[in-house]
Amino acid sequence: MKLATLLPSRWSLERESVGFGPSSRWSNKDMDPVPPEGRTWTTWNFVAYWISDATNAAVWQLASSMLAVGLSWRQALPAIAVGHCIIAVVMVLNGTIGARLHIAFPVLNRSSFGFWLSYFSVISRVILSMFWFGIQTFTGSECVYQMLKAIWPSIARLPNNLSQSANITSAGMMCYFIYWCIQFPLMFISPQKIRHFFTIKGIIVPIAWISMLIWSFVKVPARISLDPRHSNLSGSASSWAWLSALNSALGIYATLAVNIPDFTRYAKNEKAQFVQVLIIPIAFTLVGFIGIAVTSAGEVLYGEIIWDPLRLIDRWDNRAAAFFASFSFALATLGTNISANSLSAANDMTVLFPSYINIRRGQVICALIGGWVLCPWEILASAPGFLSFMSGYTVFLGPFAGIMVVDYWLVHKGKVDVPAMYDPYGRYRYWNGINWRAAVALLLSITPLLPGLINNINPKIPVGNASFLFNIAWLFGFFSASGVYLLLSKAFPAQETFMDHAILGDDTEAAVSTEVSSSHEDTDLKEKI
């Protein structure tokens, strides 16, 4: 009996009566287009979602890091605003596709890249999402440590029974386990219902952070903390630094600009997600300003620049304030880890193993592998080069987003075949499952950025002026890949992929329902005869 439990067949998912693809090997319920009853996200859900995503430690530190390279806060904020205005437009363009077709990114990607080439982005994103899940979980554990220290200051003196080579203390491991256990139950909540969590986070965290902004202005007036901050750069150095800051603003959520259909597929209608074009730049620019103001006040109070908000909280004497501020960062990290990492990895894994993995199982696998197998504390302690590579993954995300936008809106003009995206031998097979136009566009847009990526991983390797191109990696990748793909698609059109009208998932489900109904009627008629 125990051996039988280990058989793959015992773990296969139950197949629903209505599905896509030639067999259950190619789809499951979570991969199929979202049915009308599952489309529950409203405009306010998307507002709450982006307020939730904007309020995380990485965005807080984004503007602060721009000051570190010599920009003034008056230069950093426009870079954040412009960057997020650009990413918001791309977000809505790709998001509308998800809201219109009701399919996830890994399935949609097949229409532009080809059935098999699409797996390149899917597999790489699964791996990176798992790594980032673990790293974000470790960040959350540091929030738990500050919360416990605010309640029991003696935890700072807790004996460490782990060796130095473990790269984590006993207190650190305890806090990591606590945070992972708090996070794990959320892996079982469906994407339709997790929107309520984003709403809660979107209310609590902004209140806490605006309170910290008020605290900074009370402790140190803005005319003292902000006015002296002028740019240390001039000429071309200042221009390149600003463009690099703009690229950083674009890159922080470049992944979601690609896989936003994973969420907009649950929208009640297309218009529900249009609000993203407004809320994204507003929310992210505000959080960037809060990060600058609080960090600047901390520099005046404590005599050093403290970019990490948890290190700043660690300096506070008010234990109640320290607890609630740390709680807000723990909640912020939790929401970001679900939206940007576990759900993304889970959607991708459903495509890799449709017969065995749905979104719930995918999130559990991500939590186990990303949270424990990969040992994020080891990565943070000993693999800075790998972290630089993961950060440099934006060289791929710009081209991915550009090709998706151009393929749907300019090449096929919205006339796509949803059921064919589930068929390895359908119209999106292109050449042996590869759309060579997309492959060439990726090659020509990514290759020029590789020297800069190498230098980013290992600064000791000189690459000359190529490093400047890496400073605008997302912009270069997006526009160069878009242009090359559009040119090749017009010069060498894939005729088999063009249609007079779109074929949606709803059309297929309606046809299947009619067929089933007719079959039942025929059966009833035969029984009467």
Side-chain angles (χ1 to χ4, degrees):
M1 184 67 180
K2 292 182 179 179
L3 291 176
T5 306
L6 300 176
L7 294 175
S9 59
R10 296 296 296 271
W11 291 89
S12 61
L13 299 170
E14 291 185 10
R15 187 63 184 164
E16 299 292 320
S17 58
V18 177
F20 289 75
S23 70
S24 60
R25 177 187 175 189
W26 302 109
S27 185
N28 60 43
K29 183 181 178 181
D30 285 346
M31 270 184 69
D32 288 349
V34 178
E37 63 271 15
R39 301 167 195 169
T40 57
W41 283 50
T42 65
T43 295
W44 290 112
N45 291 135
F46 283 101
V47 169
Y49 173 82
W50 280 111
I51 292 176
S52 170
D53 263 19
T55 48
N56 75 75
V59 180
W60 175 290
Q61 294 171 308
L62 176 64
S64 302
S65 66
M66 294 177 183
L67 302 185
V69 300
L71 294 177
S72 69
W73 69 271
R74 291 183 178 87
Q75 292 172 314
L77 277 184
I80 294 174
V82 172
H84 285 95
C85 283
I86 295 172
I87 211 73
V89 172
V90 178
M91 203 77 70
V92 169
L93 287 172
N94 280 331
T96 300
I97 306 174
R100 183 176 293 178
L101 306 182
H102 313 294
I103 56 177
F105 157 75
V107 177
L108 171 64
N109 207 25
R110 294 168 174 172
S111 63
S112 50
F113 287 83
F115 195 92
W116 296 116
L117 182 59
S118 68
Y119 279 74
F120 166 69
S121 60
V122 171
I123 293 172
S124 60
R125 209 178 61 144
V126 167
I127 296 171
L128 288 168
S129 293
M130 285 184 177
F131 274 104
W132 282 121
F133 179 90
I135 291 167
Q136 288 284 340
T137 302
F138 186 82
T139 301
S141 72
E142 294 179 314
C143 300
V144 171
Y145 175 79
Q146 293 298 335
M147 292 166 63
L148 294 179
K149 191 165 78 71
I151 301 173
W152 300 290
S154 60
I155 196 173
R157 300 185 297 275
L158 187 72
N160 178 30
N161 297 317
L162 299 176
S163 65
Q164 189 173 356
S165 61
N167 293 317
I168 189 171
T169 63
S170 297
M173 181 60 77
M174 177 187 69
C175 293
Y176 185 88
F177 180 73
I178 291 173
Y179 188 81
W180 187 89
C181 289
I182 293 171
Q183 183 175 242
F184 188 69
L186 295 176
M187 303 294 106
F188 295 89
I189 301 177
S190 70
Q192 290 96 330
K193 295 180 179 179
I194 197 66
R195 71 187 195 280
H196 300 306
F197 173 77
F198 294 135
T199 301
I200 294 170
K201 179 194 167 186
I203 295 172
I204 295 175
V205 178
I207 292 174
W209 288 18
I210 291 173
S211 299
M212 293 179 70
L213 177 65
I214 295 171
W215 166 84
S216 71
F217 286 152
V218 170
K219 287 288 186 180
V220 184
R223 58 185 173 79
I224 297 175
S225 62
L226 295 177
D227 268 7
R229 298 196 167 278
H230 301 292
S231 175
N232 298 325
L233 304 172
S234 60
S236 62
S238 177
S239 299
W240 279 110
W242 193 86
L243 287 172
S244 178
L246 175 65
N247 192 68
S248 297
L250 288 164
I252 197 165
Y253 270 98
T255 302
L256 266 176
V258 172
N259 72 275
I260 189 63
D262 289 348
F263 296 94
T264 57
R265 63 191 294 221
Y266 299 106
K268 282 196 170 185
N269 51 58
E270 293 178 35
K271 294 181 180 179
Q273 52 90 45
F274 287 167
V275 73
Q276 294 179 111
V277 79
L278 294 176
I279 192 61
I280 290 175
I282 292 173
F284 281 79
T285 304
L286 175 60
V287 172
F289 176 73
I290 293 175
I292 289 175
V294 177
T295 301
S296 300
E299 182 182 5
V300 175
L301 291 172
Y302 305 114
E304 62 176 312
I305 300 175
I306 305 175
W307 306 124
D308 185 347
L310 294 175
R311 284 185 54 215
L312 181 67
I313 293 170
D314 192 46
R315 300 288 189 94
W316 292 359
D317 295 326
N318 189 319
R319 289 163 55 186
F323 175 86
F324 287 111
S326 299
F327 172 77
S328 74
F329 278 97
L331 189 61
T333 304
L334 186 57
T336 302
N337 217 10
I338 294 171
S339 65
N341 297 319
S342 68
L343 271 175
S344 297
N347 273 292
D348 291 339
M349 280 188 271
T350 61
V351 171
L352 296 178
F353 305 101
S355 298
Y356 301 98
I357 299 179
N358 55 19
I359 289 178
R360 179 178 294 178
R361 289 184 181 182
Q363 288 203 88
V364 170
I365 292 171
C366 179
L368 293 173
I369 296 179
W372 295 104
V373 176
L374 297 180
C375 300
W377 52 89
E378 294 283 355
I379 297 172
L380 290 168
S382 58
F386 182 72
L387 288 175
S388 297
F389 168 75
M390 290 199 296
S391 298
Y393 186 66
T394 52
V395 302
F396 298 97
L397 298 175
F400 286 164
I403 291 172
M404 288 173 63
V405 168
V406 168
D407 182 77
Y408 184 82
W409 294 105
L410 300 181
V411 176
H412 290 102
K413 303 184 188 307
K415 299 172 183 177
V416 294
D417 184 351
V418 171
M421 297 179 196
Y422 294 85
D423 187 353
Y425 302 101
R427 68 173 74 245
Y428 299 116
R429 180 174 172 79
Y430 293 99
W431 176 79
N432 292 325
I434 298 172
N435 183 357
W436 63 267
R437 303 156 194 80
V440 172
L442 286 175
L443 184 66
L444 295 181
S445 60
I446 293 173
T447 302
L449 299 171
L450 293 181
L453 176 60
I454 293 170
N455 179 257
N456 186 55
I457 296 171
N458 186 357
K460 294 180 181 179
I461 301 176
V463 295
N465 292 331
S467 60
F468 289 109
L469 190 60
F470 184 75
N471 289 337
I472 54 171
W474 193 92
L475 288 169
F476 176 84
F478 181 88
F479 288 107
S480 61
S482 298
V484 171
Y485 184 76
L486 181 61
L487 181 64
L488 292 176
S489 296
K490 293 296 185 182
F492 308 97
Q495 298 292 354
E496 70 278 9
T497 65
F498 290 93
M499 300 174 294
D500 295 330
H501 64 277
I503 302 175
L504 305 180
D506 290 349
D507 301 333
T508 302
E509 290 186 354
V512 172
S513 298
T514 302
E515 185 178 332
V516 171
S517 177
S518 299
S519 176
H520 287 166
E521 289 177 3
D522 291 343
T523 301
D524 292 342
L525 182 60
K526 289 178 181 179
E527 289 177 354
K528 290 179 180 179
I529 293 174

